Amino acid sequence: MNHSALFQTQQINQLLLPNRLAVAPMTRVSASADGVVGERMRQYYQRFAQGEFGLIVSEGIYIDSASSQSYDFQSGLVNQAQQRGWQQVTQAVHQHGGKIFAQLQHAGALSQANRHRMHTVAPSALRPKGEQMAFYRGEGQYPLPRALDDGEIQQIIADFATAAERALHAGFDGIEIHGANGYLLDQFFTDYSNQRDDRWGGDIIGRLSLSLAVIDAVRQRIGRAAPLGIRLSQGKVNDFDHKWSEGEVGAKAVFQRLAASGIDFLHVTEHEAWQPAFDADGASLAALAHRHAPSLTLIANGGLHQPQRALQLTEQGADVIALGRGALANPDWPRRVRQGLALQEFDRALLGPIADIKESELRLA
């Protein structure tokens, strides 16, 4: 099979990537208790650059000293110590020819641990579905969150912008806003978790308003040259099979609005990215994004660790293929595929009993 399409260069804004292969953001809860990245995380990210991934998207990084932290031992970008820690990572990635984006995250109601606050916040005071994730040190139901007021929402918007600026100072090459997987921006975007009747609620575009406001604030703070994008999903860590109730009509409206928002790229993730997003004979979410937002660089993620699946998504319009499990099992996936070498199977023990970085992973470098 000819895999050359995966190894073409790809441009996002002014940033030139050496190939179309990326490492997807993955929560690894391996920072210090106060959110500082250390040597273990430096080695972990460095190995993906050594393995010839053109782009790495960081795990979700919390943005404030209030309610954004999701998990114990999650990394942040809210002070100089955290910034210096991430700077060691970005330098290591760059030394091996890679590029790295910072994924900025607010947990909202899905916070399982937060050293800054005891309570959780959300668009509406509704307990999230499901239970906390044990492999991120969670247990039992999610707490009942408190609904955010408008002043707090404005502060969160500003905190995203400040964290984005700090990320660039730490050497990141671009910014990904985490609008997926059930975290705060996705809680605002989701019909059943957002019961607001103000400017932050309503129809699907009204519920997208917070994400759009964050995009605008971040773009104003970091300028036009730095790559900026957002990650979207249907499924959530606490509601795996969720689908947008507005279907393809809603998806069209969302993708068209995002294309006009000032972002450079759109990162969509599904369990199996090639599958129809809504109707059994319909298009995938990636194909819909490409159809309705063709000006944006499209990153696709979800079950694409086999090269033929990755190629299938490029045929559906994806410009960059992001791997999660495939990258964990094969930190040198691009090199292996390019050289025709066998790929290793994913070992679920890497994510258990806690999904932190294991010594065995570092020895793969």
Side-chain angles (χ1 to χ4, degrees), residues 28 43-44 46-48 50-51 325-333 335-336 344-347 350 357-365:
R28 300 310 307 273
Q43 292 180 44
Y44 168 78
Q46 174 181 284
R47 71 192 185 138
F48 295 124
Q50 290 173 314
R325 288 172 296 164
L328 290 181
N330 301 277
D332 57 348
W333 194 98
R335 180 183 299 152
R336 285 175 178 265
Q344 300 294 321
E345 292 293 324
F346 174 66
D347 181 0
L350 291 175
I357 299 168
K358 311 296 191 294
E359 287 293 336
S360 61
E361 296 179 75
L362 303 182
R363 289 197 296 271
L364 292 175

Side-chain angles (χ1 to χ4, degrees), residues 107-177:
L110 297 194
S111 177
Q112 296 187 178
N114 184 355
R115 68 191 185 93
H116 303 288
R117 295 285 190 276
M118 295 297 293
H119 63 271
T120 59
V121 297
S124 303
L126 301 169
R127 191 185 304 276
K129 294 182 177 182
E131 293 195 343
Q132 297 183 42
M133 292 169 284
F135 51 84
Y136 296 145
R137 302 184 176 90
E139 182 179 358
Q141 287 187 311
Y142 289 97
L144 179 67
R146 176 177 58 77
L148 290 159
D149 64 35
D150 193 71
E152 292 172 311
I153 292 172
Q154 295 297 336
Q155 184 61 56
I156 288 169
I157 295 168
D159 290 337
F160 266 103
T162 299
E165 182 178 36
R166 191 179 290 278
L168 296 187
H169 288 315
F172 283 99
D173 299 291
I175 304 297
E176 177 172 289
I177 296 165

Side-chain angles (χ1 to χ4, degrees), residues 232-255:
L232 293 183
S233 69
Q234 295 197 93
K236 312 170 190 307
V237 296
N238 65 318
D239 185 5
F240 195 72
D241 296 320
H242 175 74
K243 298 290 185 182
W244 299 345
S245 60
E246 297 85 353
E248 287 197 17
V249 173
K252 176 181 178 180
V254 166
F255 294 143

